[in-house]
Amino acid sequence: MVIGGSLGKKLVRDLLRAKASFGAAILVVLLGVTLFGASYASYKNLLRSYLYSYDVLHFADFVSTIAGADDGLPDRVAGLPGAARVETRLVGDLSAVSPDGEISGVVARVISVPAPEHPAVNDVTVYAGEYLDGTPGEVLLESSFAEYHDIAAGDTLQVVSAGVVVDLRVRGLVRTAEYMLPAKSKQDVMPQPKIFAILYADYATTAGLLQEAEPYNQVAVELAAGADMETVVAALRERVGPGVIAGTVGQEDQPSNAALKLDLEGLREMARAFPMLFFAAAAITLVILLGRMVRAQTPLVGLMRAVGYGPRAVLWHYTGFGLVIGVAGALIGSVAGFLLGGLVTGAYTGFVNVPFVKIEPEWTGVVGGTVGAIVVCATAGLLPAWRASRIRPADAMRGDAGTATGWSVRIGASWPAAPRIAVRNILRNRMRSLWTALGIAMAAILVVISVAFLDTTNHMIDWEFEVAMPHDAQVTFSGPVGTEIVDEVRALPGVARVEPVVQLPVELVTVGERYATLLVGLPEDGQLWNLFDGQENRIALGEGLLVADALRVRLGVEVGDEIEVATPGYVARLPIAGFVQQMMGSNAYLALPALQERVGIGDLVTGLLVRSEAGQERQVAKALERLPETAFVSTTDGFREMIDELMRLFYGFVGMMILFAVLLAFVVVFNTVTVSVMERRRELATMRMIGAGMGRVAAIVTIENLGIAIVGTAGGIAAGMAMASPAVQLFNSDSFSFGKAVVAPVTLAALTVGLLVVVLVSALPGIRYVSRMELADVARERAT
Amino acid sequence: MAKNGATLAVELEAVSRRFQLGDLEVAALTDVDLQVAAGEFVVVLGPSGSGKTTMLNLIGGLDLPTTGRLVVDGDEITDYGARRLTEFRRTHIGFVFQFFNLIPSLTAAENVAFAAELVENEAGIAQALERVGLADRGDHFPAQLSGGEQQRVALARALAKDPPLLLCDEPTGELDFETGKMILGLMRKLNQEEGKTFMVVTHNAAIGAMADRVIYLRSGRIDRMVINDSPIAAEEVSW
């Protein structure tokens, strides 16, 4: 009944007659299904690739940081109960010389591996050159830094060890499970291929470079099947002795994996949320489109009923429009989504250097998107179709003269004709006005939320670098250093301000939850690392502990609660004095003197924050790297440059999002306004018949549409602003947190103007149609 | 009142139809008694608002009376539900409207098929078009037809189901004089040659001259009825 017979022909021809409107509706469905298919396929392919790579390379289920280990550690942890494989290793960070010599602040992480055999846990796969054979001074270089700087096997890389530049030969290039995303730490998950190099060297080379007091500082464990991590960690604690384990990071919290998981979750959320937005927009468009079609075809509905078609036939006929749109959009969209999914996965796996990529056809996404689109469209079509089927035949034959009642018909009695007619038209058919305003509001909400991601991120980055962390370089020492270093650095040429800092790896422990992070001690009167709450009010350091806001939920703590802060040789319970809005990572903070006193490190510090005089940043960074106490130097310039480069990727992603939103907004607004004008073309032509010029008709239509558009835009912006913060914060984690969403006033102004322009442009086809209409045809059209 | 000995096509007993418009109750038809014989050509005349269309809608099963009894072609439809009314319209009634009410996206033949396929009488499509003299215009869309041709398609659509009773609401209201007369002639021919019962609602008093009987409605009541012993041919009607 939907496709066959005369009603089927009518359906197809009605669709073709309004092909622009229905085509736009199909486009919206198509985009929704494409996005769903692509993001779902990408999600599944990435998950499959990650898990396969983890499996093949024996990615550690947990890594414990060891303090005070001796040479006997490997023997003690061998055969650990519940562990399938164990690897003891030495890991440390050094400053490296940028291969192009143009930037400072490059950090090299050196990790010991056995040679010539591969490590039992956290293995690497060599894709260029060869694995290590024990030759001193040779390293394996992780792919992201190598590819960024175009380094090949056989090239030389320079690092700074104890103030001395050392040449290292790159024997091979590798991909790893541990650094698929080259994230420095959980507190610093932003991939930094430009300024963060990961090197694998044999034990002797590693020890020589790092010059650590202890031979090993990490134990990486792959669990046996069915083993429980907590139990195995307890067994490890027993093997290595009390107070030796400084912290344990499970696979879930491992920086690269956590960041990838965050991306995967983002993809999964996108696979869910974005198609929902598109389907909702398609549903609204269809309800408006079909509702108005039913209204325009009311006499035909009456005819169908008079001739002998039952309500069910009418219901099926008008539901058929939604069904056809759903099927058309779903079929094209599922093919596009399928193809796009492969492309996105390929691009993404290239970006994150997945060792082994597994792409398989994802039929669940294709079927799910197709079924979802068809169900949504058919359901959207059902509402107007049901209304059509409920029209009493005699009423349908009479037609509809509108619902002018009450005060609305008298409003503006003293106004000029154009605004009077426009306003009365808005009020005369309130449902039509409401649906049009709703369509415009929906478009505004979509754009505001999309733009909020961009504006909020930009605002946060500016805030982070210019207000929260206004230093140019951060020095991390190989070990604790006396405060005389502050004066020593202050005396270096080009240094404007120096502040000491202590950063200790700690575990924050609450009932049933342990969280490995950094405890940061900052001077109470410091200016180079400032702390703020979610409302961007500055928070002063005191006796109590300040904790990143993201940990409020993660650890289930509130202000005033006491929390255990544990590090080897030190365990204390400290009250939480407040929560800090922190963009990246989730640290704990204490006033420097309080931290030094409580941990018992006297006036020792672990690093410095340095601000340079204008134009002296690079020279100062180089001088800092050459200090014998320095392990590595991170520079704000290098980091900001890196962030800006990464942001280009993000801008691309958000740009696509905004493009989709704008496209969607255009379709929704175009459809609602076009239909609104087209369905009244007879009325408008009648105005012309009785002598109104096209100018007046256009003025009436414009005032009416602008009136509705202003209400819709204002409502949409208000709703979008209210929804923006919860929307961006959906992506929050303890590694990356969005604060309150920000939408720049200029963005809102551009959005408002843009929407109003779309509304005006959308009215043009109808106005042109009316202006070109042969007035004599008006009567004929009425007759048919 | 029916023709002597003829079967009744329509019978109304004390039929009233009232509408609720906000707080106001409007009596569109009040206590109407009427009998129409099968094969009769009846013209219903009256000014606007006199209840002509309401009466036609009731007889055609588009609406139900508020009170009274209504029998059409031997079936009492007064208490019919929506489903039985649909079935009734499908098999018993052919409608012709003032504004033709053709589906603009269907050709003339497809508009006729629109009704024919309901009674599985696809074979009757060409025949119906032929009966109204449009055998060669089946592929044309309504916009490509003149007003008279459109009304003839509407008539063919009504005939395609081969209903015993045709209800025509102002069938010449949108047509010029000559075309109007041509449609009326066609209707009369179908009435006389095929025995179809016609009830034609109009405000054009001149059409009454070609009817077997003229019913005058005023304010929802039958004002008077006039039997026309010597109806004139449609071609002789003049207004």
Side-chain angles (χ1 to χ4, degrees):
Chain A
M1 204 56 156
V2 172
I3 296 298
S6 304
L7 281 180
K9 286 179 190 156
K10 174 182 173 298
L11 187 150
V12 171
R13 289 177 192 163
D14 283 352
L15 284 170
L16 292 175
R17 262 160 59 112
K19 50 183 170 293
S21 296
F22 284 113
I26 289 173
L27 180 67
V28 175
V29 177
L30 187 157
L31 288 175
V33 176
T34 303
L35 267 181
F36 177 75
S39 44
Y40 186 77
S42 307
Y43 166 71
K44 295 293 275 188
N45 281 331
L46 288 173
L47 185 63
R48 195 177 291 119
S49 301
Y50 295 165
L51 293 179
Y52 182 73
S53 300
Y54 287 175
D55 188 42
V56 171
L57 296 175
H58 303 288
F59 182 41
D61 288 299
F62 72 86
V63 174
S64 290
T65 304
I66 306 293
D70 56 31
D71 290 334
L73 183 68
D75 293 336
R76 279 205 296 283
V77 299
L80 185 69
R85 292 157 174 263
V86 182
E87 187 73 39
T88 40
R89 57 189 202 170
L90 180 62
V91 180
D93 292 348
L94 297 172
S95 279
V97 179
S98 162
D100 55 14
E102 283 181 8
I103 51 164
S104 53
V106 177
V107 175
R109 173 158 302 165
V110 188
I111 301 168
S112 71
V113 285
E117 62 277 6
H118 282 237
V121 182
N122 285 342
D123 197 0
V124 299
T125 173
V126 180
Y127 69 94
E130 292 174 326
Y131 190 74
L132 301 171
D133 65 355
T135 308
E138 286 192 337
V139 294
L140 300 172
L141 178 60
E142 196 275 330
S143 60
S144 55
F145 188 84
E147 284 168 11
Y148 189 93
H149 293 284
D150 207 16
I151 297 171
D155 288 356
T156 300
L157 190 69
Q158 292 185 316
V159 296
V160 185
S161 172
V164 178
V165 175
V166 179
D167 284 351
L168 297 171
R169 180 174 176 274
V170 177
R171 185 176 174 87
L173 303 179
V174 296
R175 292 200 176 93
T176 77
E178 192 179 7
Y179 290 100
M180 267 193 230
L181 205 71
K184 263 187 200 165
S185 69
K186 188 138 195 301
Q187 312 312 324
D188 197 356
V189 292
M190 193 76 84
Q192 301 164 28
K194 186 175 185 179
I195 55 170
F196 183 49
I198 299 134
L199 308 175
Y200 293 86
D202 62 50
Y203 181 77
T205 304
T206 308
L209 289 170
L210 296 178
Q211 301 193 1
E212 296 276 344
E214 295 147 2
Y216 301 101
N217 55 16
Q218 282 189 357
V219 175
V221 176
E222 185 185 11
L223 295 174
D228 169 57
M229 182 180 133
E230 291 303 322
T231 312
V232 180
V233 171
L236 178 65
R237 195 170 281 123
E238 210 169 278
R239 290 276 185 102
V240 299
V244 173
I245 295 179
T248 295
V249 176
Q251 198 181 78
E252 198 178 315
D253 284 332
Q254 197 271 342
S256 168
N257 183 47
L260 291 174
K261 213 174 95 186
L262 205 63
D263 277 352
L264 270 185
E265 279 166 10
L267 260 181
R268 198 179 54 192
E269 288 307 315
M270 202 172 114
R272 283 177 186 161
F274 255 63
M276 286 304 118
L277 281 175
F278 278 79
F279 288 165
I284 286 182
T285 307
L286 276 178
V287 168
I288 292 170
L289 208 57
L290 295 180
R292 288 175 180 183
M293 172 186 265
V294 166
R295 197 181 166 90
Q297 293 192 355
T298 298
L300 293 185
V301 173
L303 170 78
M304 287 165 71
R305 301 299 310 281
V307 167
Y309 285 91
R312 194 178 297 174
V314 175
L315 181 79
W316 267 109
H317 176 62
Y318 286 101
T319 306
F321 285 89
L323 212 52
V324 168
I325 287 167
V327 169
L331 289 183
I332 308 170
S334 55
V335 174
F338 186 78
L339 298 174
L340 193 64
L343 289 176
V344 171
T345 309
Y348 194 90
T349 49
F351 172 66
V352 298
N353 297 312
V354 179
F356 305 104
V357 179
K358 301 275 276 184
I359 295 179
E360 288 176 14
E362 204 46 66
W363 300 111
T364 319
V366 174
V367 173
T370 305
V371 171
I374 293 172
V375 168
V376 166
C377 292
T379 309
L382 208 56
L383 180 66
W386 183 77
R387 279 200 201 122
S389 72
R390 302 292 296 174
I391 298 174
R392 294 176 63 243
D395 293 342
M397 299 310 295
R398 263 200 296 276
D400 184 12
T403 51
T405 54
W407 55 272
S408 67
V409 296
R410 289 185 292 277
I411 199 165
S414 59
W415 299 358
R420 186 175 65 232
I421 294 171
V423 170
R424 285 184 184 178
N425 273 340
I426 292 172
L427 298 171
R428 184 167 59 97
N429 194 332
R430 284 166 213 155
M431 283 314 287
R432 178 174 67 196
S433 306
L434 186 70
W435 277 109
T436 307
L438 200 65
I440 295 167
M442 174 88 187
I445 290 171
L446 275 175
V447 178
V448 167
I449 290 179
S450 304
V451 169
F453 276 95
L454 196 64
D455 283 0
T456 307
T457 310
N458 280 335
H459 171 78
M460 283 174 62
I461 289 172
D462 289 344
W463 181 269
E464 182 85 358
F465 287 107
E466 287 158 24
V467 182
M469 313 272 274
H471 52 258
D472 296 314
Q474 185 177 346
V475 187
T476 301
F477 299 128
S478 308
V481 176
T483 45
E484 61 278 5
I485 191 81
V486 175
D487 293 330
E488 195 182 318
V489 169
R490 192 174 287 134
L492 291 173
V495 171
R497 186 177 177 88
V498 181
E499 289 176 8
V501 62
V502 169
Q503 297 189 65
L504 292 176
V506 295
E507 280 193 308
L508 302 180
V509 186
T510 58
V511 181
E513 192 72 47
R514 300 176 81 89
Y515 184 78
T517 184
L518 282 179
L519 176 61
V520 181
L522 299 168
E524 283 161 301
D525 58 348
Q527 296 174 13
L528 300 183
W529 189 329
N530 303 310
L531 305 175
F532 296 88
D533 66 12
Q535 305 304 312
E536 298 185 348
N537 301 311
R538 188 155 182 186
I539 303 180
L541 284 155
E543 280 296 309
L545 194 67
L546 297 176
V547 177
D549 194 56
L551 297 181
R552 189 199 295 256
V553 177
R554 167 93 190 229
L555 297 176
V557 288
E558 286 299 335
V559 171
D561 290 354
E562 281 203 339
I563 191 169
E564 187 181 309
V565 180
T567 191
Y570 168 73
V571 177
R573 293 190 68 80
L574 298 174
I576 293 176
F579 292 99
V580 177
Q581 184 62 43
Q582 188 175 341
M583 183 172 81
M584 280 177 288
S586 292
N587 296 334
Y589 300 88
L590 207 54
L592 183 61
L595 189 152
Q596 289 168 324
E597 186 192 328
R598 282 177 177 276
V599 182
I601 56 170
D603 62 353
L604 297 176
V605 297
T606 63
L608 296 176
L609 305 170
V610 180
R611 188 158 66 203
S612 310
E613 287 166 3
Q616 299 296 308
E617 293 84 357
R618 285 188 59 200
Q619 285 73 7
V620 169
K622 279 193 182 303
L624 293 171
E625 277 173 2
R626 300 297 189 275
L627 292 173
E629 297 88 349
T630 298
F632 62 92
V633 177
S634 306
T635 60
T636 304
D637 271 359
F639 190 51
R640 176 92 203 224
E641 227 176 277
M642 191 69 245
I643 293 253
D644 287 345
E645 276 183 30
L646 287 171
M647 284 306 290
R648 279 203 277 279
L649 271 175
F650 181 69
Y651 291 150
F653 172 73
V654 175
M656 285 291 288
M657 217 161 90
I658 293 173
L659 186 73
F660 274 127
V662 168
L663 194 64
L664 203 57
F666 184 81
V667 168
V668 171
V669 173
F670 183 83
N671 253 357
T672 47
V673 174
T674 304
V675 173
S676 174
V677 175
M678 291 298 277
E679 74 174 1
R680 292 172 47 220
R681 59 190 185 274
R682 215 162 60 208
E683 175 189 333
L684 299 172
T686 305
M687 288 182 191
R688 285 190 60 210
M689 283 167 68
I690 59 175
M694 262 322 291
R696 174 175 287 236
V697 171
I700 290 170
V701 171
T702 305
I703 294 172
E704 188 179 328
N705 283 328
L706 277 181
I708 295 172
I710 287 167
V711 172
T713 306
I717 287 177
M721 293 293 286
M723 291 159 72
S725 286
V728 298
Q729 285 166 5
L730 270 180
F731 293 85
N732 280 4
S733 72
D734 49 311
S735 298
F736 190 90
S737 296
F738 278 107
K740 196 175 69 177
V742 174
V743 180
V746 66
T747 309
L748 291 180
L751 167 64
T752 306
V753 172
L755 273 177
L756 295 183
V757 168
V758 171
V759 168
L760 293 178
V761 169
S762 305
L764 284 180
I767 293 173
R768 276 178 58 197
Y769 182 89
V770 172
S771 73
R772 291 174 178 180
M773 207 168 172
E774 287 295 329
L775 295 184
D777 288 343
V778 178
R780 175 188 292 276
E781 190 181 340
R782 178 171 164 70
T784 56
Chain B
M1 194 186 297
K3 280 182 178 176
N4 284 344
T7 315
L8 284 180
V10 178
E11 190 177 3
L12 278 75
E13 274 183 28
V15 166
S16 295
R17 180 67 174 102
R18 291 184 289 276
F19 295 104
Q20 200 69 35
L21 294 177
D23 296 334
L24 194 67
E25 190 179 73
V26 177
L29 218 54
T30 308
D31 283 335
V32 170
D33 291 306
L34 174 67
Q35 291 181 329
V36 176
E40 202 175 356
F41 195 106
V42 175
V43 169
V44 182
L45 285 170
S48 292
S50 59
K52 303 187 298 289
T53 300
T54 301
M55 189 165 81
L56 212 64
N57 286 346
L58 289 172
I59 294 168
L62 290 176
D63 200 358
L64 285 171
T66 312
T67 57
R69 184 168 169 269
L70 182 54
V71 180
V72 179
D73 205 19
D75 292 336
E76 182 178 345
I77 63 169
T78 321
D79 298 322
Y80 273 15
R83 186 188 292 263
R84 291 189 72 186
L85 277 177
T86 300
E87 187 63 32
F88 163 75
R89 288 195 299 272
R90 189 176 292 174
T91 51
H92 290 76
I93 307 293
F95 280 101
V96 178
F97 304 101
Q98 177 180 0
F99 297 119
F100 324 139
N101 288 55
L102 298 181
I103 297 173
S105 55
L106 299 183
T107 63
E110 288 166 349
N111 264 285
V112 177
F114 182 72
E117 61 196 27
L118 279 173
V119 290
E120 295 174 1
N121 181 29
E122 277 85 349
I125 298 167
Q127 194 193 359
L129 281 170
E130 201 175 320
R131 281 151 85 187
V132 298
L134 287 176
D136 58 341
R137 305 284 274 167
D139 289 339
H140 290 72
F141 283 94
Q144 297 168 311
L145 300 172
S146 69
E149 286 172 325
Q150 288 186 50
Q151 193 59 301
R152 278 195 279 164
V153 174
L155 194 53
R157 181 177 64 195
L159 291 171
K161 297 188 298 178
D162 198 24
L165 176 60
L166 285 110
L167 303 174
C168 311
D169 192 355
E170 300 280 10
T172 60
E174 286 292 300
L175 304 176
D176 61 68
F177 175 62
E178 289 301 329
T179 313
K181 281 206 303 183
M182 186 261 287
I183 291 292
L184 289 172
L186 193 57
M187 288 160 54
R188 192 55 162 150
K189 186 175 164 219
L190 290 165
N191 166 252
Q192 288 171 338
E193 292 179 3
E194 299 184 21
K196 303 287 182 194
T197 307
F198 274 80
M199 286 189 76
V200 179
V201 157
T202 179
H203 62 270
N204 185 347
I207 296 173
M210 62 173 281
D212 295 327
R213 184 154 50 119
V214 182
I215 297 164
Y216 292 90
L217 282 183
R218 181 183 294 275
S219 301
R221 294 175 188 274
I222 294 182
D223 189 40
R224 61 196 165 100
M225 282 194 277
V226 175
I227 296 173
N228 194 353
D229 289 329
S230 49
I232 62 171
E235 297 77 46
E236 295 168 31
V237 174
S238 176
W239 64 84

